[in-house]
Amino acid sequence: MNSDGNKSATQDDVPAFASTADRDSVVILDYGSQYSQLIARRVREAFVYSELLPHDVDRARVEAIDPKGIILSGSPHSVYEPGAPTLPDWVLDSGLPVLGICYGMQLLTHHLGGNVGAAEEREYGPSAIKVVKQESIFSGLPEQIDVWMSHGDRIEALPPGFEVLAATDNAPFAAMRRDSIVGIQFHPEVSHTPLGSAILRSFLYEVCNCTGNWTPDSFIESTVQQIREQVGEDRVLLALSGGVDSSVAAALIHQAIGEQLTPVFVNTGMLREGEADLVRSTFTQSFGMNLVYVDATERFLERLSGIIEPEEKRKNIGAEFIRVFEHAAREHGPFKFLAQGTLYPDVIESATSSSNSAQKIKTHHNVGGLPDDLAFDLLEPLRFLFKDEVREIGARLGVPNEIVQRQPFPGPGLAVRILGAINDEDLALLRRADAIVRQEIEGAGLAESIWQFFAVLLPIYTTGVMGDGRTYAKVIAIRAITSEDAMTADWARLPDELLSRMSNRIVNEIDGINRVVYDITSKPPATIEWE
């Protein structure tokens, strides 16, 4: 639970809010694995603070965190290939406990004098390890453990002084240890390793001697104090969308500095049905904040006119947001800080943090769409939090449940749920379709078990028949996914009857839609949003 900012802030150069000396911490060095962020999440679930840092991070940055252990992530690389990421000398020189996961284990082996080679049979997917020694990270666990493998290399010979902890038929050295240096060939961070959390907890508590003192209450306490120190007597302009992230950020900052905070809610014209009224009433009545409301619908529609490419949409929306806030700042200011509800997945997907080899998937308007001439310092107290952590913090702060449990909603709003150019007519179609989807899923009692559900308007026309006449109208796609953290997701298996009701209502109640399709694609390969 965590973060900080100025306009050029990235995870590489800004200490997270929660990195304080009175809190046990573990550093995760990111070598580019698709699961790296999950490691950080699992460590946090064990009440130990973690930061995910590039594998070539400066040693001083790590020492400032004062970790009790280091975890080396997996990687798409092979340790013996030219230019493969290496193990910094300071990792072993530090004397700290080390856990190498997959590539991390191979890296330790390669660095310490063992041998790594290409496996005769690559292991991708479920497997079972046989625990040779029920000690260290396997203390108290069964002799056979189901795990998730994802590797093409394996350990051929252990480094001097290491002992085998577990093996598989294809990987005779599936886990190894020498004192407080441990390596495992499988991925404990994924849900497909059922006892993975127990294995990580053993490393954290038995090997690193962590005490598990990182809690929501301790995060709130330390973050409130650090916001006060950072802001001082200055004033903060909050970019409020009404979603979970910005709402919790508002409550947290308001607790820290009270009337120094001015939340500004901008109606971009890209909001869902009834959303503007809900946000205005919630924050003026429930929070008692001095909310500034700006209806900038026309400005955003003009800025988006004719734009089809989604990255250009996001960047234009991000830039226009800033201009609106700058105008609000001149009218209601002065303000030194701009506060945002940026979360860790936003940072990761915008590739402004973690490994240097991270690939940018999409730009988030509050991370990658900021202009170079931003007139504010950024204040982002949730920058290193996952969504479930934010909800927990919000509940502790007393944010109303109807806000805390709201579905994730992209910063650009419906602009990235209309594929193609944006106009008033299409926005009206999508708003109504999205409202029907939400009404039906909530009415079926499935809202809390589904991570996210929404409608998407496709830029195509199809032929249909209604009554005795031919129609030529647009298509709505329904997207409903299950997930734990939005880093990976699967499509929700909705009941046939529910899908039928949604389809019937959409085509019968919305003039201009004659076909409904259901998206059955997981993430990866798709993203949650269509744009």
Side-chain angles (χ1 to χ4, degrees):
M1 309 172 193
N2 338 44
S3 171
D4 188 50
N6 65 40
K7 72 180 177 67
S8 60
T10 70
Q11 189 182 355
D12 295 339
D13 56 18
V14 179
F17 266 128
S19 303
T20 54
D22 61 346
R23 190 165 298 163
D24 290 345
S25 304
V26 166
V27 163
I28 301 152
L29 297 188
D30 184 11
Y31 284 89
S33 168
Q34 61 177 319
Y35 303 130
S36 295
Q37 299 82 23
L38 285 178
I39 303 173
R41 188 170 180 272
R42 299 296 181 235
V43 171
R44 297 173 186 189
E45 289 173 351
F47 303 108
V48 175
Y49 175 66
S50 64
E51 282 200 44
L52 180 64
L53 302 174
H55 62 83
D56 55 357
V57 63
D58 186 75
R59 180 173 185 171
R61 170 76 186 280
V62 176
E63 290 176 343
I65 297 170
D66 191 24
K68 284 197 168 185
I70 298 170
I71 298 177
L72 312 177
S73 83
S75 174
H77 299 281
S78 294
V79 295
Y80 47 77
E81 69 183 24
T86 59
L87 183 70
D89 291 337
W90 62 261
V91 171
L92 298 177
D93 292 345
S94 70
L96 293 170
V98 178
L99 173 64
I101 296 175
C102 199
Y103 181 85
M105 177 187 186
Q106 297 161 10
L107 198 59
L108 288 170
T109 301
H110 185 69
H111 189 86
L112 293 171
N115 185 39
V116 179
E120 293 182 5
E121 292 184 29
R122 296 185 176 189
E123 287 188 296
Y124 295 104
S127 185
I129 60 170
K130 181 180 180 181
V131 177
V132 177
K133 291 194 175 183
Q134 292 174 295
E135 56 187 51
S136 183
I137 60 171
F138 297 119
S139 179
L141 298 182
E143 291 184 357
Q144 183 166 305
I145 299 175
D146 292 332
V147 300
W148 185 262
M149 294 285 192
S150 181
H151 65 94
D153 297 331
R154 70 174 188 175
I155 311 303
E156 302 288 353
L158 293 179
F162 278 79
E163 61 179 347
V164 179
L165 292 180
T168 70
D169 292 338
N170 188 49
F173 308 118
M176 66 180 190
R177 181 190 71 162
R178 187 183 73 188
D179 300 324
S180 62
I181 301 176
V182 182
I184 54 178
Q185 187 62 77
F186 57 91
H187 289 272
E189 67 273 26
V190 301
S191 59
H192 303 292
T193 302
L195 294 177
S197 293
I199 292 169
L200 285 172
R201 286 178 66 90
S202 292
F203 174 72
L204 297 171
Y205 287 91
E206 303 299 326
V207 181
C208 298
N209 294 315
C210 294
T211 57
N213 56 3
W214 189 60
T215 65
D217 290 337
S218 67
F219 167 79
I220 292 170
E221 181 181 355
S222 63
T223 303
V224 163
Q225 180 59 36
Q226 292 181 15
I227 290 173
R228 289 171 179 164
E229 293 175 358
Q230 182 179 357
V231 173
E233 299 299 319
D234 291 307
R235 298 178 65 207
V236 177
L237 185 68
L238 173 73
L240 180 65
S241 71
V244 180
D245 311 337
S246 62
S247 299
V248 174
L252 188 60
I253 297 170
H254 189 258
Q255 181 165 316
I257 60 173
E259 294 302 312
Q260 290 172 250
L261 171 68
T262 298
V264 176
F265 173 49
V266 176
N267 184 351
T268 65
M270 313 296 154
L271 302 177
R272 291 171 289 195
E273 189 174 276
E275 196 157 30
D277 292 339
L278 172 64
V279 172
R280 295 178 72 180
S281 63
T282 297
F283 282 89
T284 55
Q285 297 174 20
S286 298
F287 290 132
M289 295 184 187
N290 183 27
L291 178 69
V292 174
Y293 174 70
V294 180
D295 187 349
T297 300
E298 293 304 319
R299 289 184 58 167
F300 280 90
L301 284 174
E302 182 179 350
R303 187 69 181 260
L304 292 170
S305 178
I307 294 177
I308 295 175
E309 208 283 318
E311 276 295 282
E312 190 176 357
K313 286 183 186 177
R314 290 176 180 271
K315 290 179 179 179
N316 280 17
I317 288 172
E320 194 63 26
F321 260 117
I322 297 303
R323 299 311 172 209
V324 171
F325 291 133
E326 287 177 338
H327 179 78
R330 290 191 295 270
E331 186 174 350
H332 300 279
F335 299 97
K336 181 178 180 181
F337 294 92
L338 171 64
Q340 298 189 126
T342 305
L343 298 194
Y344 205 17
D346 300 338
V347 177
I348 293 164
E349 289 199 342
S350 293
T352 57
S353 67
S354 292
S355 170
N356 292 337
S357 60
Q359 181 180 8
K360 183 169 74 174
I361 298 170
K362 63 179 70 169
T363 297
H364 289 263
H365 82 277
N366 54 348
V367 180
L370 297 176
D372 293 334
D373 59 345
L374 179 65
F376 308 98
D377 290 339
L378 285 183
L379 182 66
E380 298 177 311
L382 310 178
R383 186 178 176 87
F384 298 115
L385 295 189
F386 291 102
K387 180 72 73 173
D388 57 332
E389 296 172 324
V390 174
R391 294 189 197 278
E392 190 173 2
I393 294 296
R396 297 296 182 99
L397 290 168
V399 179
N401 190 64
E402 57 267 30
I403 294 292
V404 170
Q405 296 302 325
R406 291 193 77 190
Q407 286 206 348
F409 188 60
L414 298 182
V416 292
R417 292 181 180 173
I418 294 177
L419 276 59
I422 309 297
N423 58 61
D424 282 328
E425 180 182 353
D426 284 348
L427 282 167
L429 292 177
L430 181 57
R431 276 198 195 93
R432 190 70 205 112
D434 183 77
I436 290 172
V437 170
R438 287 188 287 137
Q439 289 165 9
E440 290 296 333
I441 290 180
E442 290 168 359
L446 297 175
E448 292 188 6
S449 62
I450 301 175
W451 177 272
Q452 199 167 353
F453 46 89
F454 54 89
V456 179
L457 183 64
L458 306 188
I460 56 176
Y461 287 80
T462 67
T463 300
V465 177
M466 298 187 74
D468 295 324
R470 173 185 181 273
T471 63
Y472 193 58
K474 291 193 173 182
V475 180
I476 283 289
I478 297 173
R479 178 75 157 149
I481 59 100
T482 58
S483 181
E484 292 184 0
D485 48 33
M487 299 307 300
T488 60
D490 195 11
W491 60 278
R493 273 63 173 176
L494 298 181
D496 292 346
E497 297 81 2
L498 175 58
L499 290 170
S500 178
R501 284 198 306 274
M502 289 190 291
S503 177
N504 288 338
R505 284 194 61 191
I506 289 171
V507 297
N508 284 309
E509 296 178 22
I510 306 175
D511 186 22
I513 303 294
N514 69 355
R515 191 178 299 271
V516 176
V517 297
Y518 187 52
D519 183 349
I520 57 169
T521 318
S522 63
K523 175 188 178 180
T527 55
I528 293 175
E529 299 288 343
W530 278 45
E531 288 193 343

